[in-house]
Amino acid sequence: MSRAAKVATGVVVAGVASLVALAAPAVAGVYGAVSSWALSPPAEERVVEAPAEPASGDDDANPDRMLDELGDGYVYVGNGTAIPKGNPAGCDKPAWLHIGRMKASLSGDLVDRGVRDLAAGTTGLNDQGEVVTYTVAPGDAPHAIGDRFCIANPLMITMLNHTRTIQPGEVLLLRPDSSIPWIPYFNPDDAPAGYQQIPYQLAVEAMSAAAHAGDLDAMRAIFANDLAHLFPDPADADLIARALDGGDLAVLRQMFA
């Protein structure tokens, strides 16, 4: 069986995978590894991922071989993932948000195609003039934001930013720095069966709000009282503790975007 045939048995529509992840947080620990879902839509709608660990930010797949087997209708978006061309419509080189174990990354470039209905907010740029953040305007929706910036899996924007909904004035991270850890939203990657997801998620949301408010003291208190003990792997909690000791709000805002 060809590589393409093997991966095709585990493909799924990216939007469906993201919706399921948002609607059923208990299974969201796969963090975008859409090949894990046992659904099989029409070929023209499929997202194909090579069998691999969730995205780590390191791309060791063979895109040329993958695209040779899939055909001209697909485009490679990094980390062993290929998607149908023209998604979103008019985007020749779509971007893709990858979320893996304690890390988030972006494949491709964010192209601002301009203000539109449901995506009328403003952008924040880095020193290289690249879009990094987006400030939500009233009435904005993730799908339209994804369309504006050629992000092919727009529902990952909410997961990346540790929220289920977006609010006017909220500053969304669109270009994560893969060198900085990202804290899982729904539950730690190695959460056991019966894990207390709701206390964890509430603590993460509180950390995110405090990070955006620039309140280090609040972050340290929330971490010590509500979050640190919820990580099955103490090394993950230690990583956050070191960041809090360093007090770099730019790092902490990425960790708790």
Side-chain angles (χ1 to χ4, degrees), residues 135-140 166-171:
T135 301
V136 178
D140 278 0
I166 58 175
Q167 304 295 331
E170 185 176 357
V171 179

Side-chain angles (χ1 to χ4, degrees), residues 224-249:
N225 298 328
D226 303 319
L227 183 59
H229 66 283
L230 295 178
F231 285 94
D233 186 349
D236 293 339
D238 289 344
L239 186 151
I240 299 171
R242 290 195 298 272
L244 289 169
D245 287 343
D248 188 332
L249 280 169

Side-chain angles (χ1 to χ4, degrees), residues 48-87:
V48 179
E49 290 196 345
E53 292 298 315
S56 65
D58 299 321
D59 194 350
D60 58 0
N62 187 331
D64 292 336
R65 179 180 174 185
M66 193 173 193
L67 292 177
D68 283 345
E69 295 186 0
L70 289 170
D72 292 337
Y74 283 82
V75 60
Y76 189 73
V77 290
N79 286 313
T81 304
I83 66 173
K85 288 182 177 179
N87 178 27

Side-chain angles (χ1 to χ4, degrees), residues 5-21:
K6 290 178 182 177
V7 298
T9 59
V11 299
V12 72
V13 180
V16 173
S18 300
L19 282 170
V20 173

